[in-house]
């Protein structure tokens, strides 16, 4: 008999990544499970099939996103498939052997190569060796912006200069002017090479959000810049009003998506951190309701080796009768004082 549970990806099995939380008596009884990095209803079957060594579902899923021009989904699914291939490569090796010229397999191969090189102390050197894979993915479908997002990440990791990065950026936005993944890659590059210059990062994020449609994930880019500022004790202070405006944009965007679904969970988890850091408790509680059970490793793995446990502790604190001035464990560096009309969280309070 086939052990179907063993075929499920680790984040779908009832392990330390799936826990049930209980709430105080004043809150809804029964609690609900929290799941870490859960795939959506389209990616999940592809991962289960990959666990059996079958690549057809993954191939079909990415082919559908490419044909329909669903670039945000394509980017997200590519990351998920590459992450699974790092620990279970057999199905992907079979895919590459059966279809060496396949555009979707080439895309996953490029992402996988970057992911494998990234943790190494020799990252820059290793990344230079995988450049041909990214070029092949870009040439496989000239419309696709996702290879260019990978190229932007690759340029940051390999310490490419500004001129080269700008050329990649122009090629990326020519294909998809409001692709969120490319914008995040650019923001990370700016944060790396303008370390401490958070105002420049905010300028980039604000301008991108102003140009993007109301329902675009790029509306969350200023909140991403706020997250970078709040987790980095470097550079001049950013006005509280700018931080609140960034959070407000992301709150409005989050409300456009269905609640308790895995797709917007990465954006909502980062927004939750920003809201907590700003002391906006009611907004944070509302965001918890929209997140539902869908915790994500990032940003909580920045503060704990147990990201799900960190999320659950934060959730318990927020849903308790009196949330703390700031939950312990969510600051890696001495925080700045945060002043404003929505509350105050001084350094001494943390």
């Amino acid at each position: 008999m086939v052990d179907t549970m063993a075929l499920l990806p680790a984040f779908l099995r009832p392990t330390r990544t799936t826990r049930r939380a209980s709430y105080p008596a004043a809150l809804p009884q029964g609690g609900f499970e929290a799941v870490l990095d859960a795939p959506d209803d389209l990616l999940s079957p592809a991962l289960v099939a990959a666990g059996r060594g079958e690549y057809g579902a993954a191939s079909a899923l990415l082919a559908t996103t490419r044909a329909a021009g669903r670039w945000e989904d394509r980017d997200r699914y590519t990351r998920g498939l590459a992450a699974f291939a790092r620990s279970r490569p057999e199905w992907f090796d079979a895919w590459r052997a059966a279809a060496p010229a396949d555009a979707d397999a080439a895309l996953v191969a490029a992402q996988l190569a970057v992911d494998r090189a990234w943790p190494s102390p020799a990252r820059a050197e290793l990344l230079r060796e995988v450049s041909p894979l990214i070029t092949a993915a870009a040439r496989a479908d000239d419309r696709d912006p996702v290879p260019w997002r990978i190229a932007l990440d690759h340029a940051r990791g390999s310490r490419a200069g500004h001129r080269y990065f700008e050329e990649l950026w122009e090629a990326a936005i020519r294909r998809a002017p409001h692709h969120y993944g490319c914008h995040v890659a650019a923001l990370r590059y700016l944060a790396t090479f303008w370390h401490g210059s958070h105002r420049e990062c905010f300028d980039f994020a604000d301008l991108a959000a102003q140009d993007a449609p109301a329902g675009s994930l790029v509306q969350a880019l200023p909140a991403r810049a706020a997250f970078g500022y709040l987790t980095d004790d470097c550079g001049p202070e950013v006005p509280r009003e700018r931080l609140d405006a960034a959070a407000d944009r992301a709150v409005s965007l989050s409300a456009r998506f269905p609640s308790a679904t895995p797709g917007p969970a990465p954006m909502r988890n980062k927004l939750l951190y920003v809201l907590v850091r700003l002391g906006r408790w009611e907004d944070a509680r509302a965001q918890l309701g929209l997140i539902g059970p869908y915790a994500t490793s990032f940003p909580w793995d920045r503060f704990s080796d147990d990201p799900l446990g960190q999320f659950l502790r934060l959730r318990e604190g927020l849903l308790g009768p009196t949330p703390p001035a700031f939950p312990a464990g969510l600051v890696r560096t001495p925080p700045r004082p945060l002043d404003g009309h929505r509350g105050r969280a001084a350094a001494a309070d943390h």
Side-chain angles (χ1 to χ4, degrees), residues 71 138 141-146 148-149 152 164-179 182-183:
W71 306 126
D141 189 328
D142 190 58
R143 303 171 304 143
D144 189 356
V146 182
W148 297 93
R149 190 271 303 158
L152 292 170
Y164 178 66
F165 191 90
E166 288 172 1
E167 292 174 356
L168 295 176
W169 170 248
E170 290 173 1
I173 61 173
R174 195 161 56 241
R175 287 159 175 81
H178 307 299
H179 184 257
C182 289
H183 280 78

Side-chain angles (χ1 to χ4, degrees), residues 25-103:
L27 294 161
Q29 296 295 316
F32 54 83
E33 289 185 342
V35 187
L36 191 67
D37 300 329
D40 65 17
D41 291 341
L42 296 177
L43 179 58
S44 181
L47 294 176
V48 172
R52 295 194 298 262
E54 302 166 3
Y55 62 84
S59 175
L61 177 62
L62 288 186
T64 298
T65 61
R66 181 161 49 91
R70 288 166 35 211
W71 306 126
E72 301 292 0
D73 288 341
R74 182 171 176 79
D75 200 346
R76 184 158 48 92
Y77 295 153
T78 297
R79 293 174 188 265
L81 291 168
F84 190 64
R86 285 189 70 183
S87 58
R88 298 285 296 273
E90 300 84 3
W91 65 277
F92 183 66
D93 293 341
W95 185 7
R96 288 288 277 169
D102 184 273

Side-chain angles (χ1 to χ4, degrees), residues 240 276-279 281 325-326 335-340 343-350:
R240 170 68 191 238
V276 168
R277 282 296 308 269
L278 296 179
W281 308 122
F326 188 78
R336 304 172 180 81
L338 298 176
D339 303 303
R344 178 183 179 85
D349 296 331
H350 298 289

